[in-house]
């Protein structure tokens, strides 16, 4: 029974992200070609050059990449015969809720970015929105799934400190402190030199912080 739920939810998450990738691709290509307005005395410029567009569109694209990676990794773990069923169940519940909500929001913005073109059948955004809206409640409403995830995380925390040993608390706080030190450079100092920004270790630390 649990395996059926997990398989269904991870399939929904994967389908949702596929729709998000398609919709965002359509919107990005449109924004790169559609010219409107521009500097005084100059010609019209592509929508994609506007920072207001970039600051909304690029985070949707980045989140889509992240969720896609997470779903592929979860599918790999689900296939393993020794997979921790409880951990996989909790992760899949979270991914299904996050992916389906993200897709609804991303497709809505994609439609807005394309203006009136976004309503046209040939551009597929209306069809994608209609097909994916049900994912927020299919195989479990997102609100309920997020409550399941919260309960699982709190249970893990309770088990971690269940014996009330002082050394368990010390180890936990030490790990948190070491993580904070590792994240200090990319998060607080905000160095902008090219060598630092091209350093893979910087990107790994930033990714761990976001995770």
């Amino acid at each position: 029974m649990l395996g059926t739920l997990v398989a269904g939810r991870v399939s929904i998450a994967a389908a949702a992200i596929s729709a998000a990738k398609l919709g965002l691709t359509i919107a990005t290509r449109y924004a790169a070609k559609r010219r409107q307005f521009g500097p005084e005395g100059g010609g019209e410029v592509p929508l994609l050059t506007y920072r207001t567009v970039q600051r909304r569109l690029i985070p949707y694209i980045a989140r889509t990449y992240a969720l896609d990676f997470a779903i592929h990794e979860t599918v790999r773990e689900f296939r393993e015969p020794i997979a921790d069923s409880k951990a996989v169940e909790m992760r899949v519940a979270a991914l299904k809720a996050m992916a389906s909500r993200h897709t609804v929001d991303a497709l809505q913005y994609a439609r807005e970015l394309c203006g009136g073109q976004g309503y046209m059948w040939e551009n597929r955004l209306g069809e994608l929105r209609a097909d994916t809206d049900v994912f927020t409640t299919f195989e479990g409403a997102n609100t309920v799934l997020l409550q399941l995830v919260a309960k699982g995380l709190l249970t893990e925390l309770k088990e971690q400190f269940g014996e009330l040993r002082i050394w368990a608390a010390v180890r936990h706080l030490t790990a948190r402190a070491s993580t904070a030190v590792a994240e200090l450079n990319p998060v607080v100092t905000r160095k902008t030199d090219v060598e630092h920004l091209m350093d893979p270790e910087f990107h790994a630390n930033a990714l761990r912080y976001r995770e």
Side-chain angles (χ1 to χ4, degrees), residues 33 41 50 77 125 127 152 172 179-180 191 195-196 204:
K33 293 182 178 180
Y50 286 96
E77 290 188 2
L125 291 175
E127 181 183 7
H172 177 73
T179 302
K191 294 173 64 177
E195 182 179 359
H196 170 70

PDB file of all heavy atoms in Angstrom, residues 33 41 50 77 125 127 152 172 179-180 191 195-196 204:
ATOM      1  N   LYS A  33      12.255  36.989 -27.585  1.00  0.00           N
ATOM      2  CA  LYS A  33      11.941  37.494 -28.927  1.00  0.00           C
ATOM      3  C   LYS A  33      11.000  38.694 -28.922  1.00  0.00           C
ATOM      4  O   LYS A  33      11.086  39.549 -29.798  1.00  0.00           O
ATOM      5  CB  LYS A  33      11.328  36.370 -29.754  1.00  0.00           C
ATOM      6  CG  LYS A  33      12.281  35.231 -30.072  1.00  0.00           C
ATOM      7  CD  LYS A  33      11.608  34.172 -30.934  1.00  0.00           C
ATOM      8  CE  LYS A  33      12.559  33.048 -31.291  1.00  0.00           C
ATOM      9  NZ  LYS A  33      11.896  32.016 -32.136  1.00  0.00           N
ATOM     10  N   GLY A  41      14.425  57.517 -26.664  1.00  0.00           N
ATOM     11  CA  GLY A  41      15.215  57.789 -27.853  1.00  0.00           C
ATOM     12  C   GLY A  41      15.794  56.545 -28.512  1.00  0.00           C
ATOM     13  O   GLY A  41      16.430  56.640 -29.553  1.00  0.00           O
ATOM     14  N   TYR A  50      14.534  43.096 -19.187  1.00  0.00           N
ATOM     15  CA  TYR A  50      14.030  43.834 -18.023  1.00  0.00           C
ATOM     16  C   TYR A  50      14.314  43.065 -16.740  1.00  0.00           C
ATOM     17  O   TYR A  50      14.049  41.863 -16.639  1.00  0.00           O
ATOM     18  CB  TYR A  50      12.530  44.088 -18.153  1.00  0.00           C
ATOM     19  CG  TYR A  50      12.182  45.151 -19.162  1.00  0.00           C
ATOM     20  CD1 TYR A  50      11.840  44.813 -20.462  1.00  0.00           C
ATOM     21  CD2 TYR A  50      12.227  46.494 -18.819  1.00  0.00           C
ATOM     22  CE1 TYR A  50      11.537  45.786 -21.397  1.00  0.00           C
ATOM     23  CE2 TYR A  50      11.919  47.483 -19.741  1.00  0.00           C
ATOM     24  CZ  TYR A  50      11.578  47.124 -21.030  1.00  0.00           C
ATOM     25  OH  TYR A  50      11.278  48.096 -21.953  1.00  0.00           O
ATOM     26  N   GLU A  77      16.540   6.286  -5.272  1.00  0.00           N
ATOM     27  CA  GLU A  77      16.488   5.700  -3.939  1.00  0.00           C
ATOM     28  C   GLU A  77      15.296   4.753  -3.806  1.00  0.00           C
ATOM     29  O   GLU A  77      15.374   3.723  -3.131  1.00  0.00           O
ATOM     30  CB  GLU A  77      16.405   6.802  -2.884  1.00  0.00           C
ATOM     31  CG  GLU A  77      17.678   7.604  -2.732  1.00  0.00           C
ATOM     32  CD  GLU A  77      17.609   8.555  -1.559  1.00  0.00           C
ATOM     33  OE1 GLU A  77      16.574   8.557  -0.855  1.00  0.00           O
ATOM     34  OE2 GLU A  77      18.587   9.296  -1.336  1.00  0.00           O
ATOM     35  N   LEU A 125      -0.023  27.019 -23.061  1.00  0.00           N
ATOM     36  CA  LEU A 125       0.036  27.348 -21.641  1.00  0.00           C
ATOM     37  C   LEU A 125      -1.307  27.106 -20.943  1.00  0.00           C
ATOM     38  O   LEU A 125      -1.338  26.624 -19.806  1.00  0.00           O
ATOM     39  CB  LEU A 125       0.487  28.795 -21.451  1.00  0.00           C
ATOM     40  CG  LEU A 125       1.947  29.068 -21.838  1.00  0.00           C
ATOM     41  CD1 LEU A 125       2.255  30.552 -21.735  1.00  0.00           C
ATOM     42  CD2 LEU A 125       2.889  28.270 -20.951  1.00  0.00           C
ATOM     43  N   GLU A 127      -3.533  24.886 -21.761  1.00  0.00           N
ATOM     44  CA  GLU A 127      -3.679  23.435 -21.648  1.00  0.00           C
ATOM     45  C   GLU A 127      -2.826  22.891 -20.506  1.00  0.00           C
ATOM     46  O   GLU A 127      -3.265  22.036 -19.720  1.00  0.00           O
ATOM     47  CB  GLU A 127      -3.266  22.776 -22.966  1.00  0.00           C
ATOM     48  CG  GLU A 127      -3.394  21.269 -22.980  1.00  0.00           C
ATOM     49  CD  GLU A 127      -2.910  20.668 -24.291  1.00  0.00           C
ATOM     50  OE1 GLU A 127      -2.362  21.419 -25.123  1.00  0.00           O
ATOM     51  OE2 GLU A 127      -3.072  19.455 -24.470  1.00  0.00           O
ATOM     52  N   GLY A 152       6.810  13.948  10.486  1.00  0.00           N
ATOM     53  CA  GLY A 152       7.968  13.084  10.357  1.00  0.00           C
ATOM     54  C   GLY A 152       9.249  13.743  10.839  1.00  0.00           C
ATOM     55  O   GLY A 152      10.064  13.120  11.533  1.00  0.00           O
ATOM     56  N   HIS A 172      24.818  18.008  18.235  1.00  0.00           N
ATOM     57  CA  HIS A 172      23.879  18.679  17.330  1.00  0.00           C
ATOM     58  C   HIS A 172      24.237  20.160  17.179  1.00  0.00           C
ATOM     59  O   HIS A 172      24.290  20.685  16.064  1.00  0.00           O
ATOM     60  CB  HIS A 172      22.459  18.534  17.868  1.00  0.00           C
ATOM     61  CG  HIS A 172      21.423  19.244  17.043  1.00  0.00           C
ATOM     62  ND1 HIS A 172      21.016  18.800  15.805  1.00  0.00           N
ATOM     63  CD2 HIS A 172      20.731  20.395  17.268  1.00  0.00           C
ATOM     64  CE1 HIS A 172      20.115  19.622  15.302  1.00  0.00           C
ATOM     65  NE2 HIS A 172      19.922  20.600  16.175  1.00  0.00           N
ATOM     66  N   THR A 179      28.361  24.217  10.334  1.00  0.00           N
ATOM     67  CA  THR A 179      27.652  24.533   9.096  1.00  0.00           C
ATOM     68  C   THR A 179      27.555  26.036   8.908  1.00  0.00           C
ATOM     69  O   THR A 179      27.741  26.554   7.806  1.00  0.00           O
ATOM     70  CB  THR A 179      26.240  23.911   9.113  1.00  0.00           C
ATOM     71  OG1 THR A 179      26.364  22.503   9.279  1.00  0.00           O
ATOM     72  CG2 THR A 179      25.514  24.205   7.811  1.00  0.00           C
ATOM     73  N   ALA A 180      27.267  26.754   9.984  1.00  0.00           N
ATOM     74  CA  ALA A 180      27.155  28.212   9.910  1.00  0.00           C
ATOM     75  C   ALA A 180      28.484  28.835   9.486  1.00  0.00           C
ATOM     76  O   ALA A 180      28.516  29.780   8.697  1.00  0.00           O
ATOM     77  CB  ALA A 180      26.706  28.771  11.255  1.00  0.00           C
ATOM     78  N   LYS A 191      31.376  38.219  -1.425  1.00  0.00           N
ATOM     79  CA  LYS A 191      32.495  38.545  -2.293  1.00  0.00           C
ATOM     80  C   LYS A 191      32.038  38.480  -3.743  1.00  0.00           C
ATOM     81  O   LYS A 191      31.243  37.620  -4.118  1.00  0.00           O
ATOM     82  CB  LYS A 191      33.650  37.564  -2.060  1.00  0.00           C
ATOM     83  CG  LYS A 191      34.269  37.680  -0.674  1.00  0.00           C
ATOM     84  CD  LYS A 191      35.285  36.577  -0.429  1.00  0.00           C
ATOM     85  CE  LYS A 191      36.458  36.678  -1.368  1.00  0.00           C
ATOM     86  NZ  LYS A 191      37.477  35.640  -1.079  1.00  0.00           N
ATOM     87  N   GLU A 195      37.223  35.150  -9.468  1.00  0.00           N
ATOM     88  CA  GLU A 195      37.810  33.892  -9.000  1.00  0.00           C
ATOM     89  C   GLU A 195      36.918  33.230  -7.950  1.00  0.00           C
ATOM     90  O   GLU A 195      36.709  32.013  -7.959  1.00  0.00           O
ATOM     91  CB  GLU A 195      39.200  34.158  -8.418  1.00  0.00           C
ATOM     92  CG  GLU A 195      39.906  32.887  -7.943  1.00  0.00           C
ATOM     93  CD  GLU A 195      41.292  33.187  -7.404  1.00  0.00           C
ATOM     94  OE1 GLU A 195      41.693  34.370  -7.418  1.00  0.00           O
ATOM     95  OE2 GLU A 195      41.970  32.235  -6.973  1.00  0.00           O
ATOM     96  N   HIS A 196      36.389  34.028  -7.041  1.00  0.00           N
ATOM     97  CA  HIS A 196      35.513  33.489  -6.003  1.00  0.00           C
ATOM     98  C   HIS A 196      34.197  32.984  -6.588  1.00  0.00           C
ATOM     99  O   HIS A 196      33.740  31.883  -6.265  1.00  0.00           O
ATOM    100  CB  HIS A 196      35.226  34.566  -4.955  1.00  0.00           C
ATOM    101  CG  HIS A 196      34.157  34.190  -3.971  1.00  0.00           C
ATOM    102  ND1 HIS A 196      34.336  33.215  -3.021  1.00  0.00           N
ATOM    103  CD2 HIS A 196      32.889  34.646  -3.822  1.00  0.00           C
ATOM    104  CE1 HIS A 196      33.222  33.083  -2.313  1.00  0.00           C
ATOM    105  NE2 HIS A 196      32.338  33.939  -2.776  1.00  0.00           N
ATOM    106  N   ALA A 204      29.011  25.010  -4.157  1.00  0.00           N
ATOM    107  CA  ALA A 204      28.581  23.878  -3.328  1.00  0.00           C
ATOM    108  C   ALA A 204      28.072  24.369  -1.976  1.00  0.00           C
ATOM    109  O   ALA A 204      27.036  23.917  -1.470  1.00  0.00           O
ATOM    110  CB  ALA A 204      29.732  22.894  -3.144  1.00  0.00           C
TER     111      ALA A 204
END
